[in-house]
Amino acid sequence: MDETRAALDHTLLDWVADTAGGKIVHVDRRPGGGRREAWVVDVETPDGTTLPLFLRYDRLDPAQRGDPFTLHREAQFYRAFADSPVPIPRIVGVHPTEQAILSERVPGQAWFSRLTDENERVAIASDFMRILAEMHRVDPARLELPDQHPGMGLRRLVEHEIDVWERIYRDAGGKSDPLVELALGWVRRNIPDAD
């Protein structure tokens, strides 16, 4: 087994192979993603087809640290956007206990900063904005998140979101930051009174 593949636990690799229904023939870690690792994985099925897959993996379970933004939660967004105008890779599997998502791999690169052609930059930025608008058109009830209630008013949803981020900030255990304290107070006083 090569060094790159050895960086992943064999039980996770077994899960990838079982979930994809084949044998892993290539594994390579990609840069970026912060603590959430990105891996390209090729799986060969019994009929000889090679499946290009993408594994997102977080070795540190954020839920154990009170961080609600887990990969399991992220997978719910992938599923909610399926069959919508939002282009999203198909989820192949979500690990039942580890913070890992296995999806189809889509071609392309995520490095907007490397584009040098201005027309290409404008086209991609415009497409990004179109997709962002489509995301906001998706019915939030499709998310089925336990801490989100689509019927709740906008004001309460915004208060909830501020509460989440403030709790993450305070639980980090660092020294209080006057600018963050000022910002938290400002956003709480300026929540839109609208639905």
Side-chain angles (χ1 to χ4, degrees), residues 134-160:
E134 292 293 350
M135 288 174 74
H136 286 83
R137 284 189 188 98
V138 172
D139 181 359
R142 290 177 73 168
L143 288 174
E144 299 177 5
L145 295 171
D147 63 337
Q148 299 288 305
H149 307 285
M152 192 184 297
L154 176 64
R155 182 174 188 81
R156 180 60 203 121
L157 286 170
V158 172
E159 287 171 348
H160 171 74

Side-chain angles (χ1 to χ4, degrees), residues 15 54-56 71 74-75 78 91 93-94 99-103:
W15 172 78
F54 186 71
L55 175 69
R56 285 178 47 79
L71 287 177
E74 185 175 309
Y78 278 73
I91 295 288
V94 178
Q99 290 295 317
I101 301 173
L102 184 65
S103 69

Side-chain angles (χ1 to χ4, degrees), residues 84-95:
S84 79
V86 178
I88 199 86
R90 183 181 66 83
I91 295 288
V92 176
V94 178
H95 197 284

Side-chain angles (χ1 to χ4, degrees), residues 35-57:
R35 74 165 194 258
R36 293 187 172 163
E37 300 172 16
W39 295 82
V40 295
V41 182
D42 292 334
V43 173
E44 186 178 296
T45 62
D47 68 1
T49 303
T50 300
L51 304 175
L53 303 174
F54 186 71
L55 175 69
R56 285 178 47 79
Y57 178 48

Side-chain angles (χ1 to χ4, degrees), residues 61-73:
D61 186 349
Q64 292 178 352
R65 297 185 314 279
D67 180 349
F69 303 108
T70 66
L71 287 177
H72 287 174
R73 178 187 172 97

Side-chain angles (χ1 to χ4, degrees), residues 92-168:
V92 176
V94 178
H95 197 284
T97 56
E98 295 289 328
Q99 290 295 317
I101 301 173
L102 184 65
S103 69
E104 292 178 328
R105 188 167 73 232
V106 295
Q109 298 204 13
W111 303 106
F112 184 79
S113 61
R114 292 183 183 168
L115 297 174
T116 56
D117 181 275
E118 189 59 28
N119 291 331
E120 191 175 20
R121 290 174 64 84
V122 168
I124 289 183
S126 297
D127 197 42
F128 174 81
M129 289 182 277
R130 179 193 59 77
I131 292 167
L132 189 59
E134 292 293 350
M135 288 174 74
H136 286 83
R137 284 189 188 98
V138 172
D139 181 359
R142 290 177 73 168
L143 288 174
E144 299 177 5
L145 295 171
D147 63 337
Q148 299 288 305
H149 307 285
M152 192 184 297
L154 176 64
R155 182 174 188 81
R156 180 60 203 121
L157 286 170
V158 172
E159 287 171 348
H160 171 74
E161 191 70 15
I162 295 168
D163 290 345
V164 167
W165 285 102
E166 183 172 2
R167 187 175 59 251
I168 291 170

